[in-house]
Amino acid sequence: MALPNNNNRHEFCWCCVKAVKWVPVLFILIIVFWSYYAYVVELCIITINSVWMQILYLVIYHILFGMFLWSYWQTVFTKSDKVPDKFKLPENDYETLVHAENEEAQRQVLEQFSRNLPNVNRTINGSVRYCEKCRLVKPDRAHHCSVCGMCILKMDHHCPWVNNCIGFTNYKFFVLFLGYALIYCIYVALTTMQYVIKLWHGGRFHILFLFFVALMFAISLVSLFCYHCYLVLHNRTTLEAFRAPIFSTGPDKQGFDLGKLENFREVFGAHPNLWFVPVNTSLGDGVMYSTHSQHQPSMYHSMESTQTSSRDANESTKLCPNHVQLVVV
């Protein structure tokens, strides 16, 4: 009888921990929907007398509010793709790895297994990057997240405010979320400022508090948004900014830098009309990335939309103006 009780207790604790992780998201949503009430009802409907001013403020506000919520939703609920099965160590290779006599023998096992994998990143001692918890060879730019309990493709960081890992599948949404949140806060602060001044003595609490909350969040968001814009333009993740990816030639922070335009398109896609819309347009498959010529392995395929990333690896790649060109040897 003790085993079921222990199992139930463990499951209950796990559910509690999982529920607590949603507290930051709930906090953000409470602030956002309170700001909706304060702006729409307290400011536009009750305080502003001009009908045309009400319409103008409300139309712009709802556009920004909708884009902000849409990008936030996408960031929260877009989960990371699983690492393809070809990177997972077969059972016989895993047993050989576990029972290897020394590190050199383990290294040989991993080298032999990964010889046909499209990896260029290495560990600091030049070995194949291997995740013991997931039992797989890590694809380039992938890292294991201890919170999510899995390897995340092109991992940037784990964000408690969205209760999700920021990586290949949702990095575009995360940057748009930061951008629209910043614009939203600036718009709210600017449009409420004149009424805050008028109502400073004996004014409405909601409008006064809304102005200061919007200003506070805008100040905190501007540096974070600018930093991630910098990372996008230099084709780096937050982890790579702190620790340069290692190639066969050594560490190189510029290893994945293709130029600012191509770096931007890798995250936001090849179609300018969809750049600032929270839909999936990122280029590539999250596994293979273009690099400087000195870091390129013997085989690559062209980087294309995530919805159509599968391609015959033996097929020659032709230059396409809407895609990043990689070298095929």
Side-chain angles (χ1 to χ4, degrees):
M1 296 297 294
L3 287 178
N5 290 335
N6 289 335
N7 290 335
N8 291 337
R9 189 179 300 112
H10 176 75
E11 184 177 351
F12 175 76
C13 293
W14 181 83
C15 290
C16 290
V17 171
K18 190 173 182 180
V20 169
K21 292 179 181 178
W22 286 101
V23 171
V25 176
L26 182 61
F27 173 77
I28 292 293
L29 291 178
I30 290 174
I31 294 294
V32 168
F33 285 108
W34 166 81
S35 71
Y36 182 89
Y37 164 79
Y39 193 90
V40 173
V41 178
E42 294 288 336
L43 178 68
C44 292
I45 296 178
I46 297 177
T47 304
I48 299 178
N49 296 320
S50 172
V51 176
W52 292 110
M53 191 65 71
Q54 288 178 336
I55 294 174
L56 178 63
Y57 276 23
L58 286 173
V59 168
I60 299 176
Y61 175 83
H62 280 91
I63 292 174
L64 294 177
F65 184 79
M67 297 303 292
F68 164 67
L69 275 187
W70 187 5
S71 57
Y72 186 64
W73 175 278
Q74 291 283 64
T75 306
V76 172
F77 292 105
T78 301
K79 299 303 180 183
S80 176
D81 288 341
K82 291 184 177 180
V83 176
D85 290 338
K86 66 179 180 179
F87 289 87
K88 190 173 182 61
L89 220 60
E91 191 63 31
N92 57 336
D93 287 342
Y94 176 73
E95 291 297 328
T96 304
L97 180 69
V98 171
H99 295 94
E101 297 180 355
N102 50 51
E103 290 186 4
E104 182 59 31
Q106 292 179 332
R107 180 172 178 168
Q108 291 299 325
V109 173
L110 295 177
E111 290 285 355
Q112 180 68 17
F113 171 73
S114 64
R115 66 187 186 279
N116 293 323
L117 296 178
N119 286 11
V120 294
N121 285 162
R122 295 281 172 162
T123 64
I124 194 169
N125 60 2
S127 302
V128 174
R129 298 168 66 243
Y130 175 73
C131 179
E132 295 180 355
K133 295 181 178 179
C134 297
R135 298 186 182 182
L136 53 81
V137 172
K138 297 179 183 178
D140 290 342
R141 315 184 81 174
H143 297 273
H144 185 87
C145 176
S146 58
V147 180
C148 296
M150 61 182 291
C151 284
I152 306 297
L153 298 177
K154 196 184 177 183
M155 180 177 175
D156 188 88
H157 69 287
H158 185 91
C159 181
W161 295 107
V162 300
N163 190 30
N164 200 2
C165 247
I166 307 302
F168 173 74
T169 55
N170 64 351
Y171 187 62
K172 174 189 175 182
F173 306 143
F174 176 72
V175 176
L176 289 179
F177 157 62
L178 294 179
Y180 285 123
L182 177 60
I183 297 172
Y184 175 82
C185 290
I186 292 175
Y187 175 78
V188 169
L190 290 178
T191 53
T192 56
M193 182 184 300
Q194 59 176 313
Y195 300 99
V196 168
I197 297 173
K198 292 178 181 179
L199 303 174
W200 182 257
H201 300 288
R204 293 183 177 276
F205 164 79
H206 288 283
I207 297 177
L208 295 175
F209 193 61
L210 176 63
F211 170 77
F212 288 110
V213 169
L215 186 63
M216 178 188 68
F217 275 98
I219 293 172
S220 63
L221 283 168
V222 65
S223 59
L224 185 60
F225 176 66
C226 290
Y227 177 65
H228 278 279
C229 288
Y230 170 83
L231 293 180
V232 168
L233 295 178
H234 290 80
N235 207 336
R236 295 178 199 164
T237 64
T238 299
L239 294 177
E240 291 167 352
F242 285 97
R243 179 179 295 178
I246 301 173
F247 301 85
S248 58
T249 55
D252 184 5
K253 278 192 175 183
Q254 309 295 333
F256 296 105
D257 193 346
L258 309 173
K260 289 181 173 53
L261 177 59
E262 293 303 328
N263 293 340
F264 181 87
R265 292 171 62 196
E266 183 175 302
V267 175
F268 288 90
H271 305 289
N273 58 315
L274 296 177
W275 279 350
F276 306 114
V277 180
V279 294
N280 189 4
T281 57
S282 298
L283 302 180
D285 55 12
V287 173
M288 302 176 70
Y289 296 92
S290 181
T291 62
H292 288 166
S293 58
Q294 67 267 28
H295 301 314
Q296 290 175 350
S298 59
M299 183 177 294
Y300 271 110
H301 63 67
S302 64
M303 188 174 292
E304 55 188 12
S305 177
T306 51
Q307 291 87 354
T308 57
S309 60
S310 299
R311 180 183 289 256
D312 185 356
N314 296 320
E315 183 178 330
S316 297
T317 306
K318 297 182 179 180
L319 182 61
C320 177
N322 291 329
H323 295 78
V324 178
Q325 175 67 16
L326 303 182
V327 177
V328 176
V329 179

